[in-house]
Amino acid sequence: MRAVQCMQVRHTDRRPVSDEPVPDDSLSAIAAAAVQEGARLEVLDRDQVLQLAASASQAATVEAEDSRLREELEYWTSRAGGTGLTPEVLPEQPAQTTVPGRDFGRAGTLPVGPGHDRAASYAVRSRCRPPGRPCASCSPGSATRTSAWREQVVDTSAVSGDAA
């Protein structure tokens, strides 16, 4: 039931962000807050953002070739009544970004400005157990955390066909 309630209030703005970067101390504070909520947040460096962009592009290609995924996306983007994605939350045109946004198969009515995501910060979130009591690999500044995460990125890239 909680998942359904969360879905009803969730909102994602798919437009490019501000040209002003988020300060490092703010990103560290957000990552520390995530740990207290039972999650690990790993902020990506520039090379990792480029890997993310390549992976997102590959995923879009795979999705576009899968008729069942396209049918499901059509279902979720053509529903009214508060369930699914209405035209008001879908961009009217693709945003100019390093990391491509999802192709919803239809344009919406959400205006997209001329901005770019060059100043954006990207992060990967994962669960940490138990909430509020981080494991050793979730502790801020942990070298183990960083190296283990980088190995996951390399493994993920290899699976998607993108060499790291």
Side-chain angles (χ1 to χ4, degrees), residues 20-59:
E20 185 176 327
V22 178
D24 288 341
D25 59 335
S26 295
L27 291 173
S28 295
I30 293 167
V35 169
Q36 292 305 311
E37 294 298 322
R40 177 174 60 195
L41 190 69
E42 186 72 38
V43 178
L44 306 182
D45 65 28
R46 183 70 182 149
D47 289 340
Q48 292 167 327
V49 169
L50 295 176
Q51 287 179 337
L52 174 64
S55 295
S57 181
Q58 177 66 27

Side-chain angles (χ1 to χ4, degrees), residues 78-158:
S78 63
R79 298 186 58 175
T83 304
L85 301 172
T86 61
E88 296 82 24
V89 301
L90 297 177
E92 63 186 1
Q93 64 189 20
Q96 298 300 310
T97 58
T98 302
V99 178
R102 188 171 194 182
D103 178 4
F104 290 98
R106 68 176 67 233
T109 59
L110 181 66
V112 175
H116 195 282
D117 68 346
R118 281 185 279 277
S121 294
Y122 286 87
V124 175
R125 178 190 59 90
S126 59
R127 298 300 299 164
C128 181
R129 293 184 192 94
R133 298 185 61 211
C135 57
S137 65
C138 290
S139 300
S142 166
T144 304
R145 172 192 61 174
T146 303
S147 63
W149 185 86
R150 288 176 197 258
E151 289 173 14
Q152 287 179 316
V153 171
V154 172
D155 290 344
T156 302
S157 299

